[in-house]
Amino acid sequence: EELESVTDEESGYQVGWSHGREKVEGGKFDVGKGSFYANPLTDDLLSAIQQRRALHGTEEDVCTEELERVAKENPAFFAPNVWPTQSIPQLESAVKDMGMLVHTVGCSL
């Protein structure tokens, strides 16, 4: 039941839990596995971008209204994370720790 509460249809099932939503070869729904999708670096990408701009006082080429429009038109990329906090409370911290490790290694290259 909680997995259904972290299923995000608006993002095209690209955030949260997805089972039997993706299509595989032949156009059949993939019911052989379940997937969980999240941004491992921030729970809300749009807010993170706006906060970074405010913190650094940068005047980006893309205005706030344009950024908000792009976010609205691309919910699969900008949808906020949803976490199954009741059934898998450790998932959020594990995913975020992994994301920071990958980010740190990538920056070191």
Side-chain angles (χ1 to χ4, degrees):
E1 185 175 291
E2 187 180 8
L3 290 177
E4 282 302 314
S5 73
V6 293
T7 299
D8 188 15
E9 184 177 0
E10 286 185 30
S11 72
Y13 305 101
Q14 297 301 302
V15 171
W17 174 249
S18 177
H19 177 253
R21 311 293 183 173
E22 296 116 337
K23 290 185 179 178
V24 293
E25 190 174 329
K28 296 179 182 177
F29 288 101
D30 183 6
V31 294
K33 64 163 180 62
S35 301
F36 189 86
Y37 301 101
N39 182 325
L41 298 179
T42 180
D43 281 327
D44 186 336
L45 182 59
L46 178 59
S47 292
I49 292 169
Q50 292 169 330
Q51 289 171 3
R52 183 174 181 170
R53 286 180 172 182
L55 180 65
H56 296 291
T58 58
E59 291 296 326
E60 301 287 334
D61 291 337
V62 179
C63 68
T64 300
E65 293 81 18
E66 178 69 6
L67 180 61
E68 290 173 352
R69 182 189 65 76
V70 169
K72 187 175 182 177
E73 291 175 359
N74 297 279
F77 191 70
F78 283 92
N81 288 339
V82 291
W83 300 103
T85 55
Q86 296 300 313
S87 58
I88 314 173
Q90 67 277 21
L91 181 63
E92 180 177 0
S93 62
V95 169
K96 289 178 177 180
D97 289 347
M98 177 271 312
M100 285 306 301
L101 175 63
V102 171
H103 176 75
T104 301
V105 170
C107 289
S108 298
L109 299 176

